[in-house]
Amino acid sequence: MTPNGAFTLAEVLITLAIIGVVAAMTIPTLVANYQEKSWGTAATVFERKLTEAMRVMNANATLAGHSTTENFVEELSKHLKITKTCANDKLQDCFSSEVTYGNEVVDMTKVKKAKHFGQDEWGTEIIGTQFANGTTALIAYNPKCSQDPYSNTITGGDCLAILYDTTGYKTPNTSGKDLRANGNVTKVAGATCAFEIDGTCFGMPFQANSAHTWNACDSSTYKSTDAEDLAYMQKYGLDYCYPGDDYFAKAAETCGGTSKMAQMSDLATIANYLYDTDIVGEETLNGSDYDGNTIAFNPTKGSSLGFPSPTLWVWAGEEFSSLKYGAYGRYFISDYTIWSYSYRNSSYGWAVCLGD
Protein backbone atom coordinates (compact mmCIF):
# COMPACT_ATOMS: atom_id res chain seq x y z
CA MET A 1 0.00 0.00 0.00
CA THR A 2 1.28 3.46 -0.86
CA PRO A 3 1.85 6.20 1.78
CA ASN A 4 -1.41 7.92 0.79
CA GLY A 5 -3.42 4.77 1.48
CA ALA A 6 -3.87 3.54 -2.09
CA PHE A 7 -3.19 -0.04 -3.19
CA THR A 8 -0.19 -0.68 -5.38
CA LEU A 9 -0.54 -2.34 -8.76
CA ALA A 10 1.23 -5.44 -7.41
CA GLU A 11 -1.27 -5.75 -4.52
CA VAL A 12 -4.21 -5.43 -6.89
CA LEU A 13 -2.79 -8.05 -9.22
CA ILE A 14 -2.11 -10.44 -6.33
CA THR A 15 -5.67 -9.99 -5.05
CA LEU A 16 -7.12 -10.65 -8.50
CA ALA A 17 -4.94 -13.73 -8.84
CA ILE A 18 -6.22 -15.08 -5.51
CA ILE A 19 -9.82 -14.40 -6.54
CA GLY A 20 -9.18 -16.16 -9.85
CA VAL A 21 -7.73 -19.24 -8.12
CA VAL A 22 -10.66 -19.44 -5.68
CA ALA A 23 -13.14 -19.02 -8.54
CA ALA A 24 -11.42 -21.71 -10.58
CA MET A 25 -11.67 -24.08 -7.63
CA THR A 26 -15.28 -23.39 -6.63
CA ILE A 27 -17.22 -22.48 -9.79
CA PRO A 28 -16.97 -25.95 -11.44
CA THR A 29 -18.33 -27.55 -8.26
CA LEU A 30 -21.16 -25.02 -8.04
CA VAL A 31 -22.04 -25.55 -11.70
CA ALA A 32 -21.95 -29.35 -11.29
CA ASN A 33 -24.22 -29.17 -8.23
CA TYR A 34 -26.61 -26.89 -10.10
CA GLN A 35 -26.72 -29.27 -13.07
CA GLU A 36 -27.38 -32.27 -10.82
CA LYS A 37 -30.30 -30.49 -9.13
CA SER A 38 -31.59 -29.25 -12.48
CA TRP A 39 -31.59 -32.75 -13.98
CA GLY A 40 -33.25 -34.20 -10.88
CA THR A 41 -35.95 -31.52 -10.80
CA ALA A 42 -36.70 -31.88 -14.52
CA ALA A 43 -37.00 -35.67 -14.14
CA THR A 44 -39.33 -35.35 -11.15
CA VAL A 45 -41.60 -32.88 -12.97
CA PHE A 46 -41.75 -35.02 -16.12
CA GLU A 47 -42.49 -38.22 -14.20
CA ARG A 48 -45.25 -36.48 -12.24
CA LYS A 49 -46.90 -35.22 -15.45
CA LEU A 50 -46.59 -38.65 -17.09
CA THR A 51 -48.10 -40.34 -14.04
CA GLU A 52 -51.01 -37.90 -13.97
CA ALA A 53 -51.67 -38.43 -17.68
CA MET A 54 -51.73 -42.20 -17.22
CA ARG A 55 -53.97 -41.86 -14.20
CA VAL A 56 -56.49 -39.93 -16.31
CA MET A 57 -56.22 -42.57 -19.05
CA ASN A 58 -56.90 -45.23 -16.42
CA ALA A 59 -60.01 -43.36 -15.23
CA ASN A 60 -61.17 -43.12 -18.85
CA ALA A 61 -60.45 -46.82 -19.43
CA THR A 62 -58.06 -45.95 -22.28
CA LEU A 63 -54.84 -47.11 -20.61
CA ALA A 64 -55.08 -50.80 -21.53
CA GLY A 65 -56.14 -52.56 -24.70
CA HIS A 66 -53.70 -51.09 -27.23
CA SER A 67 -52.06 -53.57 -29.59
CA THR A 68 -49.17 -51.31 -30.59
CA THR A 69 -46.99 -48.67 -28.99
CA GLU A 70 -48.03 -46.25 -31.71
CA ASN A 71 -51.69 -46.53 -30.65
CA PHE A 72 -50.76 -46.00 -27.02
CA VAL A 73 -48.67 -42.90 -27.78
CA GLU A 74 -51.52 -41.48 -29.84
CA GLU A 75 -53.84 -41.82 -26.83
CA LEU A 76 -51.18 -40.46 -24.47
CA SER A 77 -50.85 -37.34 -26.62
CA LYS A 78 -54.44 -36.41 -25.71
CA HIS A 79 -53.37 -35.97 -22.08
CA LEU A 80 -49.69 -34.98 -22.28
CA LYS A 81 -48.63 -32.64 -25.08
CA ILE A 82 -46.40 -34.37 -27.63
CA THR A 83 -44.98 -32.23 -30.41
CA LYS A 84 -43.46 -35.00 -32.54
CA THR A 85 -43.52 -38.79 -32.87
CA CYS A 86 -41.10 -41.02 -34.76
CA ALA A 87 -41.53 -44.58 -36.02
CA ASN A 88 -39.05 -47.22 -34.89
CA ASP A 89 -37.11 -46.99 -38.15
CA LYS A 90 -36.65 -43.22 -37.72
CA LEU A 91 -36.11 -42.90 -33.96
CA GLN A 92 -33.11 -40.62 -34.39
CA ASP A 93 -35.43 -37.92 -35.66
CA CYS A 94 -36.71 -37.76 -32.07
CA PHE A 95 -33.81 -39.03 -29.96
CA SER A 96 -30.03 -38.93 -29.77
CA SER A 97 -28.22 -41.51 -31.88
CA GLU A 98 -25.73 -42.29 -29.10
CA VAL A 99 -26.02 -42.27 -25.30
CA THR A 100 -23.97 -43.43 -22.34
CA TYR A 101 -25.95 -45.97 -20.33
CA GLY A 102 -24.07 -46.97 -17.20
CA ASN A 103 -20.47 -47.40 -18.32
CA GLU A 104 -21.25 -48.31 -21.91
CA VAL A 105 -21.72 -46.12 -24.97
CA VAL A 106 -24.84 -47.38 -26.76
CA ASP A 107 -25.55 -47.03 -30.47
CA MET A 108 -29.25 -46.08 -30.33
CA THR A 109 -29.75 -46.87 -34.02
CA LYS A 110 -29.87 -50.53 -32.91
CA VAL A 111 -32.67 -49.92 -30.40
CA LYS A 112 -36.01 -50.49 -32.11
CA LYS A 113 -38.18 -52.93 -30.14
CA ALA A 114 -39.34 -53.60 -26.58
CA LYS A 115 -36.86 -56.48 -26.33
CA HIS A 116 -34.04 -53.93 -26.59
CA PHE A 117 -35.32 -52.53 -23.27
CA GLY A 118 -35.26 -56.03 -21.76
CA GLN A 119 -38.97 -56.74 -22.37
CA ASP A 120 -38.72 -59.72 -24.69
CA GLU A 121 -42.30 -60.91 -24.15
CA TRP A 122 -44.06 -57.66 -25.03
CA GLY A 123 -43.46 -58.03 -28.77
CA THR A 124 -44.02 -54.34 -29.50
CA GLU A 125 -41.99 -51.68 -31.27
CA ILE A 126 -40.37 -48.60 -29.74
CA ILE A 127 -41.78 -45.19 -30.68
CA GLY A 128 -39.82 -41.93 -30.39
CA THR A 129 -41.49 -38.84 -28.91
CA GLN A 130 -40.71 -35.21 -28.29
CA PHE A 131 -42.70 -33.51 -25.54
CA ALA A 132 -43.66 -29.84 -25.37
CA ASN A 133 -41.25 -29.17 -22.48
CA GLY A 134 -38.26 -30.30 -24.59
CA THR A 135 -37.95 -33.79 -23.12
CA THR A 136 -37.32 -36.51 -25.69
CA ALA A 137 -38.20 -40.16 -25.07
CA LEU A 138 -38.33 -43.67 -26.44
CA ILE A 139 -41.44 -45.62 -25.40
CA ALA A 140 -42.37 -49.31 -25.61
CA TYR A 141 -45.90 -50.43 -24.66
CA ASN A 142 -47.00 -53.63 -22.95
CA PRO A 143 -50.12 -55.06 -24.68
CA LYS A 144 -50.93 -56.87 -21.41
CA CYS A 145 -51.07 -53.55 -19.58
CA SER A 146 -53.61 -53.55 -16.71
CA GLN A 147 -56.09 -50.87 -15.69
CA ASP A 148 -58.86 -50.33 -13.14
CA PRO A 149 -61.07 -47.36 -14.03
CA TYR A 150 -62.66 -47.49 -10.57
CA SER A 151 -59.36 -46.81 -8.81
CA ASN A 152 -57.54 -43.47 -8.83
CA THR A 153 -54.33 -45.09 -7.60
CA ILE A 154 -53.55 -47.13 -10.72
CA THR A 155 -50.85 -45.42 -12.76
CA GLY A 156 -50.09 -48.17 -15.27
CA GLY A 157 -46.76 -49.23 -13.82
CA ASP A 158 -46.75 -52.35 -16.00
CA CYS A 159 -47.82 -50.52 -19.16
CA LEU A 160 -44.71 -48.98 -20.61
CA ALA A 161 -40.94 -48.94 -20.64
CA ILE A 162 -39.65 -45.42 -21.19
CA LEU A 163 -36.16 -44.01 -21.65
CA TYR A 164 -36.19 -40.22 -21.60
CA ASP A 165 -33.74 -37.34 -21.86
CA THR A 166 -34.65 -34.16 -19.97
CA THR A 167 -32.29 -32.05 -22.09
CA GLY A 168 -33.25 -33.44 -25.48
CA TYR A 169 -30.34 -33.55 -27.90
CA LYS A 170 -28.05 -31.58 -25.58
CA THR A 171 -25.21 -33.38 -23.86
CA PRO A 172 -24.30 -35.23 -21.69
CA ASN A 173 -26.93 -37.87 -22.74
CA THR A 174 -25.82 -39.99 -19.79
CA SER A 175 -27.87 -42.25 -17.52
CA GLY A 176 -28.28 -40.88 -14.01
CA LYS A 177 -27.79 -37.34 -15.30
CA ASP A 178 -30.09 -36.02 -18.02
CA LEU A 179 -30.95 -39.56 -19.18
CA ARG A 180 -33.45 -41.49 -17.03
CA ALA A 181 -35.64 -44.59 -17.37
CA ASN A 182 -38.49 -46.20 -15.53
CA GLY A 183 -38.20 -49.59 -13.87
CA ASN A 184 -39.38 -51.54 -16.92
CA VAL A 185 -36.19 -50.63 -18.78
CA THR A 186 -33.82 -53.32 -17.52
CA LYS A 187 -31.25 -52.75 -20.25
CA VAL A 188 -30.68 -50.60 -23.33
CA ALA A 189 -29.67 -52.72 -26.33
CA GLY A 190 -26.66 -54.68 -25.09
CA ALA A 191 -26.02 -52.49 -22.07
CA THR A 192 -27.06 -53.94 -18.70
CA CYS A 193 -24.93 -51.74 -16.44
CA ALA A 194 -26.96 -48.65 -15.51
CA PHE A 195 -24.53 -47.67 -12.75
CA GLU A 196 -21.44 -49.02 -11.03
CA ILE A 197 -20.45 -48.87 -7.35
CA ASP A 198 -17.12 -50.22 -6.06
CA GLY A 199 -16.62 -52.24 -9.22
CA THR A 200 -20.06 -53.92 -9.14
CA CYS A 201 -22.32 -53.34 -12.14
CA PHE A 202 -26.04 -52.84 -11.48
CA GLY A 203 -29.01 -52.57 -13.80
CA MET A 204 -31.71 -49.91 -13.53
CA PRO A 205 -33.88 -50.37 -10.40
CA PHE A 206 -37.43 -51.45 -11.20
CA GLN A 207 -40.65 -52.02 -9.31
CA ALA A 208 -42.21 -55.48 -9.56
CA ASN A 209 -45.62 -54.19 -10.66
CA SER A 210 -46.81 -57.57 -11.89
CA ALA A 211 -46.76 -60.98 -10.22
CA HIS A 212 -46.12 -64.57 -11.25
CA THR A 213 -49.06 -66.94 -10.72
CA TRP A 214 -48.27 -70.57 -9.97
CA ASN A 215 -50.36 -73.47 -11.22
CA ALA A 216 -50.32 -75.61 -8.07
CA CYS A 217 -48.41 -74.14 -5.13
CA ASP A 218 -49.12 -75.98 -1.85
CA SER A 219 -49.98 -73.47 0.89
CA SER A 220 -48.43 -75.63 3.64
CA THR A 221 -45.10 -76.52 2.04
CA TYR A 222 -44.76 -73.68 -0.50
CA LYS A 223 -43.71 -76.32 -3.00
CA SER A 224 -45.29 -77.55 -6.22
CA THR A 225 -45.31 -80.85 -8.06
CA ASP A 226 -46.68 -79.30 -11.26
CA ALA A 227 -44.27 -79.83 -14.16
CA GLU A 228 -44.59 -76.27 -15.46
CA ASP A 229 -44.05 -74.83 -11.98
CA LEU A 230 -40.98 -77.01 -11.44
CA ALA A 231 -39.49 -75.94 -14.78
CA TYR A 232 -40.03 -72.28 -13.86
CA MET A 233 -38.40 -72.76 -10.45
CA GLN A 234 -35.37 -74.45 -11.97
CA LYS A 235 -35.00 -71.82 -14.68
CA TYR A 236 -35.01 -68.89 -12.26
CA GLY A 237 -33.29 -70.50 -9.25
CA LEU A 238 -36.32 -70.57 -6.95
CA ASP A 239 -36.68 -73.06 -4.10
CA TYR A 240 -40.22 -72.09 -3.10
CA CYS A 241 -43.46 -70.79 -4.57
CA TYR A 242 -46.32 -68.71 -3.18
CA PRO A 243 -50.01 -69.69 -3.48
CA GLY A 244 -51.15 -66.38 -4.92
CA ASP A 245 -49.55 -63.34 -6.52
CA ASP A 246 -45.79 -63.89 -6.26
CA TYR A 247 -44.04 -60.57 -6.88
CA PHE A 248 -40.68 -61.87 -5.71
CA ALA A 249 -40.75 -64.63 -8.35
CA LYS A 250 -41.58 -62.06 -11.03
CA ALA A 251 -38.64 -59.91 -9.95
CA ALA A 252 -36.36 -62.95 -10.21
CA GLU A 253 -37.76 -63.71 -13.67
CA THR A 254 -37.13 -60.14 -14.83
CA CYS A 255 -33.47 -60.35 -13.79
CA GLY A 256 -33.04 -63.81 -15.29
CA GLY A 257 -32.85 -65.67 -11.97
CA THR A 258 -32.21 -65.11 -8.27
CA SER A 259 -28.45 -65.31 -8.84
CA LYS A 260 -28.70 -62.31 -11.17
CA MET A 261 -30.53 -60.19 -8.60
CA ALA A 262 -28.60 -57.93 -6.21
CA GLN A 263 -27.79 -59.96 -3.10
CA MET A 264 -27.86 -58.70 0.50
CA SER A 265 -24.21 -57.64 0.35
CA ASP A 266 -24.90 -55.76 -2.89
CA LEU A 267 -27.81 -53.88 -1.31
CA ALA A 268 -25.52 -52.94 1.58
CA THR A 269 -23.06 -51.54 -0.99
CA ILE A 270 -25.84 -49.45 -2.53
CA ALA A 271 -26.93 -48.30 0.94
CA ASN A 272 -23.38 -47.17 1.76
CA TYR A 273 -23.48 -44.99 -1.35
CA LEU A 274 -26.99 -43.60 -0.85
CA TYR A 275 -26.45 -42.73 2.82
CA ASP A 276 -22.86 -41.46 2.49
CA THR A 277 -21.71 -43.83 5.20
CA ASP A 278 -19.96 -47.13 5.84
CA ILE A 279 -22.55 -49.60 7.11
CA VAL A 280 -21.11 -51.84 9.79
CA GLY A 281 -22.45 -55.34 9.31
CA GLU A 282 -25.73 -55.45 7.42
CA GLU A 283 -27.90 -52.70 8.90
CA THR A 284 -28.29 -49.31 10.53
CA LEU A 285 -30.92 -48.24 13.02
CA ASN A 286 -32.50 -45.07 14.44
CA GLY A 287 -30.82 -42.69 12.06
CA SER A 288 -27.24 -43.72 12.82
CA ASP A 289 -24.86 -46.54 12.02
CA TYR A 290 -23.16 -48.68 14.63
CA ASP A 291 -20.34 -46.17 14.95
CA GLY A 292 -22.90 -43.55 16.02
CA ASN A 293 -22.67 -41.53 12.80
CA THR A 294 -25.90 -39.77 11.78
CA ILE A 295 -27.05 -40.87 8.33
CA ALA A 296 -29.64 -39.64 5.83
CA PHE A 297 -30.77 -40.84 2.40
CA ASN A 298 -29.19 -38.62 -0.27
CA PRO A 299 -32.05 -37.81 -2.69
CA THR A 300 -29.68 -36.49 -5.38
CA LYS A 301 -27.74 -39.75 -5.41
CA GLY A 302 -30.98 -41.72 -5.20
CA SER A 303 -32.40 -39.95 -8.22
CA SER A 304 -29.18 -40.44 -10.19
CA LEU A 305 -29.40 -44.22 -9.67
CA GLY A 306 -33.11 -44.41 -10.42
CA PHE A 307 -34.26 -44.89 -6.82
CA PRO A 308 -37.28 -42.82 -5.76
CA SER A 309 -37.15 -41.04 -2.42
CA PRO A 310 -37.72 -43.48 0.42
CA THR A 311 -39.57 -45.23 1.95
CA LEU A 312 -39.03 -48.24 -0.34
CA TRP A 313 -38.33 -51.96 -0.09
CA VAL A 314 -35.79 -53.63 -2.39
CA TRP A 315 -35.78 -57.41 -2.87
CA ALA A 316 -32.54 -59.36 -2.64
CA GLY A 317 -32.16 -62.58 -4.61
CA GLU A 318 -32.31 -64.62 -1.41
CA GLU A 319 -35.34 -66.60 -0.29
CA PHE A 320 -36.17 -67.01 3.42
CA SER A 321 -36.00 -70.75 4.14
CA SER A 322 -37.38 -70.40 7.69
CA LEU A 323 -40.46 -68.56 6.45
CA LYS A 324 -40.89 -69.88 2.93
CA TYR A 325 -43.53 -67.29 2.06
CA GLY A 326 -40.94 -64.52 2.43
CA ALA A 327 -37.70 -63.31 0.90
CA TYR A 328 -34.88 -61.09 2.15
CA GLY A 329 -34.29 -57.50 1.17
CA ARG A 330 -33.53 -54.03 2.51
CA TYR A 331 -35.64 -51.07 3.57
CA PHE A 332 -34.44 -47.63 2.52
CA ILE A 333 -35.94 -44.97 4.81
CA SER A 334 -35.18 -41.23 4.89
CA ASP A 335 -32.98 -41.47 7.98
CA TYR A 336 -32.10 -45.14 8.32
CA THR A 337 -31.77 -48.40 6.40
CA ILE A 338 -32.22 -51.96 7.61
CA TRP A 339 -32.25 -55.48 6.16
CA SER A 340 -35.30 -57.62 6.80
CA TYR A 341 -37.71 -59.88 4.92
CA SER A 342 -41.08 -59.32 3.28
CA TYR A 343 -43.93 -61.54 2.08
CA ARG A 344 -43.57 -62.60 -1.53
CA ASN A 345 -46.99 -61.14 -2.33
CA SER A 346 -45.83 -57.60 -1.46
CA SER A 347 -46.67 -55.51 -4.53
CA TYR A 348 -44.58 -52.51 -3.43
CA GLY A 349 -41.23 -54.27 -3.81
CA TRP A 350 -38.39 -53.00 -5.99
CA ALA A 351 -35.45 -54.97 -7.34
CA VAL A 352 -32.06 -54.39 -8.94
CA CYS A 353 -30.45 -56.81 -11.38
CA LEU A 354 -26.73 -57.40 -11.48
CA GLY A 355 -25.22 -56.19 -14.75
CA ASP A 356 -22.77 -58.09 -16.93
Side-chain angles (χ1 to χ4, degrees):
M1 183 175 291
T2 63
N4 60 6
F7 290 103
T8 65
L9 177 60
E11 290 171 327
V12 171
L13 293 175
I14 291 173
T15 302
L16 291 175
I18 293 173
I19 292 173
V21 171
V22 172
M25 295 174 61
T26 59
I27 288 178
T29 301
L30 292 174
V31 171
N33 290 339
Y34 171 78
Q35 287 180 326
E36 290 286 347
K37 291 182 179 180
S38 177
W39 293 325
T41 299
T44 299
V45 170
F46 174 75
E47 289 171 3
R48 183 170 62 245
K49 289 183 177 179
L50 178 62
T51 297
E52 288 300 322
M54 295 180 69
R55 184 174 287 125
V56 172
M57 292 170 66
N58 174 73
N60 294 341
T62 59
L63 185 59
H66 303 286
S67 59
T68 67
T69 305
E70 184 178 8
N71 290 343
F72 168 79
V73 170
E74 183 179 354
E75 181 63 32
L76 177 65
S77 67
K78 299 176 183 178
H79 310 282
L80 186 60
K81 189 171 183 180
I82 296 175
T83 57
K84 186 178 182 180
T85 60
C86 302
N88 74 337
D89 59 343
K90 296 182 179 179
L91 292 179
Q92 277 57 62
D93 290 344
C94 285
F95 203 81
S96 300
S97 60
E98 185 177 275
V99 303
T100 301
Y101 191 80
N103 59 357
E104 183 177 334
V105 176
V106 180
D107 179 1
M108 298 302 291
T109 63
K110 298 179 180 179
V111 176
K112 297 181 182 294
K113 297 183 179 295
K115 65 180 182 180
H116 297 134
F117 281 168
Q119 300 299 340
D120 295 41
E121 298 179 357
W122 289 9
T124 51
E125 75 285 3
I126 289 175
I127 293 294
T129 57
Q130 289 185 351
F131 294 90
N133 68 348
T135 298
T136 60
L138 299 181
I139 298 175
Y141 179 73
N142 179 9
K144 296 181 179 180
C145 165
S146 59
Q147 66 182 8
D148 179 2
Y150 300 102
S151 171
N152 63 1
T153 62
I154 303 298
T155 59
D158 63 338
C159 291
L160 76 156
I162 179 170
L163 178 72
Y164 66 94
D165 189 338
T166 59
T167 61
Y169 289 103
K170 297 179 181 178
T171 55
N173 297 330
T174 300
S175 59
K177 294 183 178 180
D178 58 341
L179 189 68
R180 308 293 175 97
N182 75 342
N184 291 327
V185 179
T186 60
K187 68 175 183 178
V188 177
T192 58
C193 184
F195 61 91
E196 185 176 323
I197 302 177
D198 295 340
T200 300
C201 180
F202 298 96
M204 186 66 69
F206 65 93
Q207 190 169 15
N209 293 300
S210 58
H212 176 73
T213 302
W214 300 89
N215 294 326
C217 185
D218 188 292
S219 60
S220 60
T221 63
Y222 298 94
K223 292 281 191 176
S224 175
T225 56
D226 178 80
E228 186 177 347
D229 286 349
L230 292 174
Y232 184 92
M233 295 173 75
Q234 182 178 18
K235 181 176 182 179
Y236 297 114
L238 297 162
D239 294 323
Y240 306 105
C241 57
Y242 186 87
D245 290 337
D246 194 334
Y247 289 90
F248 172 76
K250 192 64 175 181
E253 177 187 336
T254 300
C255 287
T258 54
S259 64
K260 295 183 179 180
M261 296 173 68
Q263 306 299 300
M264 289 299 294
S265 58
D266 298 313
L267 295 183
T269 296
I270 293 174
N272 286 336
Y273 177 79
L274 293 178
Y275 290 86
D276 298 310
T277 189
D278 183 16
I279 292 175
V280 179
E282 283 291 315
E283 62 182 313
T284 62
L285 292 169
N286 300 324
S288 63
D289 63 22
Y290 286 131
D291 289 336
N293 300 312
T294 300
I295 66 171
F297 184 94
N298 187 319
T300 300
K301 286 186 174 182
S303 177
S304 71
L305 301 190
F307 284 99
S309 297
T311 304
L312 75 154
W313 165 266
V314 183
W315 296 110
E318 301 178 37
E319 295 173 286
F320 195 178
S321 58
S322 297
L323 296 173
K324 301 176 179 63
Y325 50 78
Y328 286 109
R330 176 173 283 276
Y331 280 108
F332 292 82
I333 318 295
S334 60
D335 60 352
Y336 74 92
T337 176
I338 183 173
W339 69 268
S340 183
Y341 74 92
S342 182
Y343 291 174
R344 298 168 68 121
N345 67 337
S346 298
S347 60
Y348 55 80
W350 285 67
V352 183
C353 304
L354 295 174
D356 296 332

